[in-house]
Amino acid sequence: MTNRLPLKMLAGLRRNPSASLLAVQLAGVALYPFMENTDAGRALFGVFGIAVLALALRVVNRSPALNWIAWTLALPAVVLLLVAGLTPYGGAMPYAQLFEGALYLYTAAGLIAYMLRDHRVSLDEIYAAGATFTLLAWAFAFAYSACQHWYPGSFTAAVNAEAPRTWLELLYLSFSVLSGVGLSDVMPIRPQARALVMLEQFAGVMYIALVVSRLIGLATSRAIAGAREIGEV
């Protein structure tokens, strides 16, 4: 029985690729604080980014999205990540982040189309709802990072207000904006940064209103229909 458990877990991840993507991204949230301050951690961050890209491509393969568009975004992202990680040229990182962010947005769009294409809610679609949220949060965090690179002073915070914001701070801001909780101490200052924040606020509201509410409605309707069938029996 003990030996079968890992096999069952692997089989479940194969059937539900959105679960793998969601699990890896949530693991990244826990690991990012340990990746930022050392050379080894930054190298691991690059490897982690490539792993997430690979999972995103796998998810796109299961969605109605077009694979060739995903590969067109993923290949430059991987090359630029390798250039940024293996060479002294640091200017490649913002471009890598832009390609990563574009792929995450495209993957999120593919997952949304996947969740909306029928009137039933599967287990993988529930995982897809979480994975889509994290993809959107990562995509805007990448956009914030690139904005900060090209427009220094785009963001300020309660601690070290004049310093560039770290990746974890920008991801924290992205989660706060997308969820609508407004708990972040990181603030957009320059117009370009504020425009990106407004776009993410719009994306977060529309995602909750159109996608999550629909999934909840379908799941509730199915539960009510099941209860009625049991009552009739």
Side-chain angles (χ1 to χ4, degrees), residues 60-226:
V60 168
N61 189 50
R62 289 281 297 270
S63 76
L66 300 175
N67 282 333
W68 70 266
I69 297 179
W71 280 102
T72 301
L73 296 171
L75 291 177
V78 171
V79 172
L80 290 166
L81 280 173
L82 292 174
V83 170
L86 300 177
T87 68
Y89 179 62
M93 184 55 75
Y95 295 99
Q97 291 176 332
L98 284 182
F99 276 105
E100 284 186 271
L103 176 61
Y104 287 6
L105 286 176
Y106 185 71
T107 306
L111 283 178
I112 290 172
Y114 166 61
M115 289 184 283
L116 298 180
R117 67 180 177 181
D118 54 34
H119 295 284
R120 58 184 296 273
V121 181
S122 66
L123 179 61
D124 190 56
E125 287 177 344
I126 294 174
Y127 288 126
T132 301
F133 184 89
T134 56
L135 285 167
L136 290 172
W138 256 259
F140 278 99
F142 283 130
Y144 295 156
S145 182
C147 178
Q148 178 176 250
H149 177 82
W150 287 316
Y151 301 98
S154 290
F155 300 94
T156 187
V159 179
N160 298 325
E162 301 300 323
R165 309 298 12 126
T166 66
W167 164 253
L168 190 61
E169 285 180 307
L170 295 176
L171 185 60
Y172 178 62
L173 170 64
S174 186
F175 268 89
S176 299
V177 171
L178 191 63
S179 63
V181 298
L183 294 177
S184 177
D185 63 328
V186 182
M187 298 291 293
I189 298 298
R190 299 195 61 169
Q192 296 83 1
R194 289 182 175 180
L196 287 174
V197 167
M198 286 188 286
L199 288 174
E200 184 170 19
Q201 288 170 333
F202 176 78
V205 170
M206 296 305 292
Y207 178 67
I208 298 296
L210 297 180
V211 179
V212 176
S213 61
R214 180 179 184 274
L215 291 179
I216 293 173
L218 289 174
T220 303
S221 299
R222 185 177 180 183
I224 292 173

Side-chain angles (χ1 to χ4, degrees), residues 17-42:
S18 300
S20 303
L21 181 59
L22 177 61
V24 169
Q25 288 186 290
L26 292 179
V29 172
L31 294 174
Y32 282 144
F34 306 100
M35 294 184 187
E36 289 189 326
N37 299 321
T38 64
D39 292 337
R42 285 186 285 272

